[in-house]
Amino acid sequence: MGGGMTTTTGTRDFLLPDLGEGLSEAEIVEWRVAVGDVVTVDQTVVEVETAKAVVDVPCPYAGRVVALHGAAGETRPVGQPLITIAPLDSAAGDEPAGHAAYREEERAGSGNVLIGYGTGHGGTGRRRRRPRLAVVPEPASRAPGPRPAEPVAAPAPAPAGPALVISPIVRRLAREHGIDPATLRGTGPGGVVRRADVEAALAARTAAPAAGPAPDRAAPDADDLVIPLTGIRRAIADKLSRSRREIPEVTVWVDVDATALVETRRAINAATPDEPVSILALLARICLSGLRRFPQLNARVDTEGQRIVQSRGVHLGIAAQTDRGLVVPVLRDAERLTTRELAVALAEATAAARAGTLPPARLTGGTFTLNNYGVFGVDGSTPIINHPEAALLGVGRIVDKPWVVDGQLAVRKVTQLSLTFDHRVCDGGVAGGFLRHVADCVEQPALLVANV
């Protein structure tokens, strides 16, 4: 959290304040002051960009700028020095207006002064490029570290009327914990409700004795069938929960005319009846073609390393339903296989998965998954990504439907394709481009041959 620190020379370091939302750092976009400038209390000194918004940061000190910590484009962590201010010679009449007023507020325990409030000083006006958040500086006397409990025995008298809440961070904190600010007595100047007031109310509510033990809503009734969540079912549940918890997934879909793909498969199998090729093998080949064109989807997000890792080879997972649950056998380096080799590998992997004979190494390490849920007689789905992969292509049932061909209504073999992808690895343009390439190859298999 931001605060001040007095050095032996009388200068003060203003630390990058807590910008809320759990953010731990911010990038300097533009300094609004330079070394040697005189600043007043609450004057905007820098514009920073966080993961949430562009923010104007006001300085709680008045004086002369002696140092700027960091250049434009540099990332600064919360709690580290941002700007150093030296006091002016008040005896010579150099103290800017508002400095004494701020010191009075500081002695009263206030530091939550918003731009345009409290001291009457506003930030620099200019056209704003993006939505901005107001920053609430911490008291100058507070050093970085855990926030100490604030005394509430003798709060300042609250003004008549509704509680005054200036800070958006305070409003959000109260809302998240179900606290009505109107019930609080603000300890800030003029009865302003501060963050410490909300935290004190929260602490008091937490310390209050519970009305009684909460009922166990998970307890089953006597006639319920209880199935322990163990073994592979538990592993599946844990992995799917982690995927939904960590991956910001998006699903896009399109209906396609698969008539030509079905006819292509029929022609291949008529020419080589002893070595049949499945529709799934053709779809796998199309996926591999799409991933070669859009490798961004053949990736994973390394959250600890804060990076995206694109895999050189395609380790294709095939979702398979078994008596033991849903498993995903992996065909390593699938892009090196011919379409006929893909058909053989797919048949072998799914059969072994259903028999429960696949070793663990064959069930991990996938980089992209193909899920044919059409075998269950459904048209569409929004499946959960197989963590830590970044995308999954789903295929619905192929069924006769009316379709317009060359301006005439005809009965065609139609299926729905859906792509669920991790929005961290790419945007809609890449995802849409991949799905459109797959759809085009399904409708015109000659395009697939041209790209092999």
Side-chain angles (χ1 to χ4, degrees):
M1 299 181 187
M5 168 172 65
T6 303
T7 69
T8 55
T9 61
T11 61
R12 284 177 166 176
D13 287 334
F14 172 49
L15 311 181
L16 179 63
D18 179 0
L19 301 174
E21 299 289 341
L23 302 173
S24 61
E25 62 184 16
E27 179 181 334
I28 296 173
V29 176
E30 178 185 358
W31 283 105
R32 301 289 185 81
V33 296
V35 173
D37 288 355
V38 174
V39 297
T40 57
V41 174
D42 283 351
Q43 177 179 334
T44 296
V45 294
V46 67
E47 179 182 75
V48 301
E49 183 173 8
T50 72
K52 302 290 184 182
V54 175
V55 183
D56 287 330
V57 181
C59 179
Y61 311 131
R64 190 177 304 278
V65 179
V66 296
L68 303 178
H69 302 282
E74 181 179 338
T75 298
R76 299 291 294 168
V78 168
Q80 293 299 308
L82 191 60
I83 186 172
T84 301
I85 304 293
L88 297 176
D89 184 3
S90 58
D94 288 340
E95 186 171 27
H99 194 189
Y102 176 78
R103 289 204 307 268
E104 182 63 29
E105 290 174 2
E106 185 179 6
R107 285 194 293 271
S110 171
N112 292 1
V113 182
L114 185 67
I115 299 175
Y117 294 86
T119 66
H121 295 279
T124 304
R126 71 177 219 167
R127 189 182 190 94
R128 294 183 173 179
R129 299 189 301 273
R130 296 173 56 181
R132 301 173 187 274
L133 302 177
V135 176
V136 184
E138 297 289 341
S141 58
R142 178 171 294 154
R147 178 184 294 274
E150 303 243 357
V152 295
L164 178 59
V165 183
I166 294 177
S167 168
I169 295 179
V170 173
R171 287 198 297 269
R172 188 189 70 248
L173 182 65
R175 183 175 64 251
E176 289 177 349
H177 293 284
I179 296 176
D180 183 1
T183 64
L184 303 179
R185 175 174 294 181
T187 60
V192 171
V193 174
R194 303 170 54 214
R195 181 173 178 173
D197 301 324
V198 177
E199 291 174 342
L202 180 61
R205 186 176 68 182
T206 304
D216 184 2
R217 300 184 184 275
D221 294 334
D223 56 349
D224 288 342
L225 174 63
V226 178
I227 302 173
L229 196 60
T230 59
I232 190 172
R233 191 73 256 168
R234 179 175 179 178
I236 293 172
D238 289 345
K239 189 163 189 178
L240 294 180
S241 297
R242 182 179 182 185
S243 178
R244 182 53 58 88
R245 183 173 61 249
E246 295 184 7
I247 299 177
E249 60 189 24
V250 180
T251 300
V252 292
W253 59 89
V254 62
D255 291 338
V256 297
D257 179 1
T259 304
L261 185 70
V262 173
E263 292 174 349
T264 297
R265 183 223 178 187
R266 184 181 298 117
I268 292 174
N269 291 344
T272 55
D274 294 336
E275 299 176 301
V277 170
S278 63
I279 287 290
L280 187 61
L282 294 177
L283 291 170
R285 171 56 60 202
I286 293 173
C287 277
L288 294 170
S289 174
L291 292 174
R292 183 171 61 179
R293 179 170 293 191
F294 299 95
Q296 298 95 324
L297 295 171
N298 190 50
R300 70 182 187 278
V301 175
D302 177 5
T303 54
E304 292 185 3
Q306 288 295 295
R307 57 186 180 176
I308 297 172
V309 180
Q310 286 188 19
S311 298
R312 183 179 299 274
V314 180
H315 309 315
L316 186 64
I318 303 296
Q321 186 66 45
T322 73
D323 294 339
R324 299 159 55 242
L326 180 67
V327 296
V328 185
V330 175
L331 307 184
R332 297 192 63 83
D333 298 313
E335 78 282 1
R336 300 181 181 180
L337 303 178
T338 66
T339 302
R340 200 177 304 282
E341 289 171 340
L342 277 173
V344 173
L346 287 170
E348 178 270 331
T350 53
R354 295 189 177 101
T357 58
L358 278 178
R362 292 288 305 279
L363 298 172
T364 59
T367 60
F368 185 93
T369 293
L370 174 60
N371 186 359
N372 179 22
Y373 43 73
V375 295
F376 303 118
V378 298
D379 295 323
S381 174
T382 56
I384 298 176
I385 294 174
N386 186 25
H387 185 279
E389 298 170 17
L392 179 151
L393 181 73
V395 184
R397 62 175 180 162
I398 298 177
V399 62
D400 289 345
K401 286 186 178 182
W403 196 264
V404 177
V405 180
D406 297 329
Q408 301 294 321
L409 196 62
V411 176
R412 307 289 286 182
K413 302 290 186 183
V414 177
T415 187
Q416 185 181 94
L417 304 176
S418 66
L419 176 71
T420 300
F421 67 98
D422 185 339
H423 217 318
R424 296 172 298 178
V425 305
C426 70
D427 295 323
V430 170
F434 172 88
L435 186 58
R436 190 63 255 170
H437 175 78
V438 170
D440 290 344
C441 289
V442 169
E443 293 186 332
Q444 304 177 67
L447 294 177
L448 176 61
V449 177
N451 287 281
V452 171

